[in-house]
Amino acid sequence: MRSADIRPLYPNGVDYAGSFSAALLVPDSPAPTLVTGPRGKRAEARYNVYRNNVTVSLIAALASIFPAVERITGPDFFRAMARFHVRECPPTSPLLFEYGRAFPDFIDRYGHAANMPWLSDVARIERSWLDSYHGADAPALAPETLSSVPPERLGALVFTPHPATRLISSAHPAVTIFAMNRGVGPVGRVENRPEDGLITRLDDEVTIRLLPPGNFVFLEALLGGRTLAAAAGAALTAEPAFDLTGAIGGTIAAGAFSHAETETSDVEPA
């Protein structure tokens, strides 16, 4: 038999693992009939203890991924919200840091969080922060490398995103709220306005920068493969006061890109 054909089956071909796990996140379901204790007795109580431990572990995993959300809501509110999410969205990967990708969308639907419309975007920033942390390693495009490109060819440059780069756009001040709640310091009043953010990783340190007006459109175009000239045009259309020089210098210094090229030549990291 090939290894791909081997499955953890109980006698008589029963899928024991599947039967055991199916009811773990369904609190009202009975323990699987195959779960027994000494002398073949039902092990309902033991299974319920294990079921509770699994749920508590997944809630703890969510708390470690979304610490700002937990600080904003408070531990009790967070645990209650996370418990409903765990039951609705069980893990699909054995890697716990992969868990919680659906949590921001769940917060949007969670009625008790309706008075915090920015909370789901804070969660999206936290998820993006973790994804940036685990992004693949690659050298960042050094600022001085663009000096080797003739001025007449700069507009034709196409940039390759660094694997750790992420963009965030929110109709709320989510970047500021995120930053205020990732530490332990006091939290002040926040002006209610849209905010965009750039998440990058340099020297194994993940940072998020609040983007000036027009920068999100500019970066979204560059990260989508458009030329520098096309991205600049889109940004200036969206925001006439867009600072092209500052946007280029700031995003390259932040490590947002790993490579740049025109149709005929490459610009490698220094």
Side-chain angles (χ1 to χ4, degrees):
M1 177 182 292
R2 298 174 301 170
S3 59
D5 294 329
I6 298 175
R7 292 177 173 82
L9 299 181
Y10 204 65
N12 301 321
V14 177
D15 183 356
Y16 183 85
S19 176
F20 183 87
S21 62
L24 279 177
L25 299 180
V26 186
D28 296 332
S29 64
T33 57
L34 294 177
V35 178
T36 58
R39 295 181 294 278
K41 293 183 178 180
R42 293 294 305 277
E44 193 85 24
R46 295 186 182 188
Y47 184 82
N48 285 338
V49 170
Y50 185 82
R51 173 158 47 195
N52 182 69
N53 289 342
V54 169
T55 300
V56 169
S57 297
L58 292 175
I59 291 173
L62 289 173
S64 69
I65 295 169
F66 302 99
V69 173
E70 184 184 31
R71 187 184 187 202
I72 291 166
T73 64
D76 292 341
F77 185 103
F78 184 89
R79 283 195 295 268
M81 179 170 61
R83 186 177 295 273
F84 281 108
H85 174 70
V86 165
R87 292 171 183 172
E88 180 181 298
C89 300
T92 57
S93 168
L95 304 175
L96 275 182
F97 77 84
E98 291 284 355
Y99 190 51
R101 294 191 182 280
F103 193 48
D105 289 343
F106 174 83
I107 294 175
D108 278 330
R109 304 191 305 273
Y110 189 65
H112 297 291
N115 63 336
M116 297 177 282
W118 31 263
L119 189 64
S120 61
D121 283 344
V122 173
R124 289 182 179 95
I125 293 174
E126 297 208 271
R127 181 67 249 184
S128 296
W129 189 99
L130 185 63
D131 288 338
S132 178
Y133 180 82
H134 287 286
D137 290 329
L141 186 68
E144 61 270 20
T145 57
L146 292 193
S147 62
S148 64
V149 182
E152 67 273 12
R153 294 174 57 196
L154 282 172
L157 281 174
V158 176
F159 292 81
T160 300
H162 190 281
T165 298
R166 302 291 186 275
L167 267 181
I168 290 292
S169 183
S170 174
H172 310 282
V175 176
T176 299
I177 295 172
F178 161 84
M180 293 174 67
N181 285 279
R182 285 285 279 207
V184 296
V187 176
R189 294 184 63 85
V190 179
E191 183 180 349
N192 188 19
R193 62 183 179 186
E195 288 185 347
D196 302 320
L198 170 66
I199 301 174
T200 56
R201 190 189 72 222
L202 275 176
D203 299 325
D204 296 327
E205 182 177 355
V206 178
T207 59
I208 178 167
R209 292 166 173 80
L210 184 63
L211 293 175
N215 277 240
F216 178 86
V217 174
F218 176 68
L219 282 170
E220 186 178 43
L222 287 183
L223 297 176
R226 300 184 69 183
T227 64
L228 180 60
L236 286 167
T237 299
E239 175 53 57
F242 169 68
D243 178 9
L244 176 59
T245 301
I248 294 174
T251 54
I252 291 179
F257 306 106
S258 63
H259 181 75
E261 64 181 3
T262 64
E263 291 182 353
T264 57
S265 66
D266 292 349
V267 181
E268 299 289 352

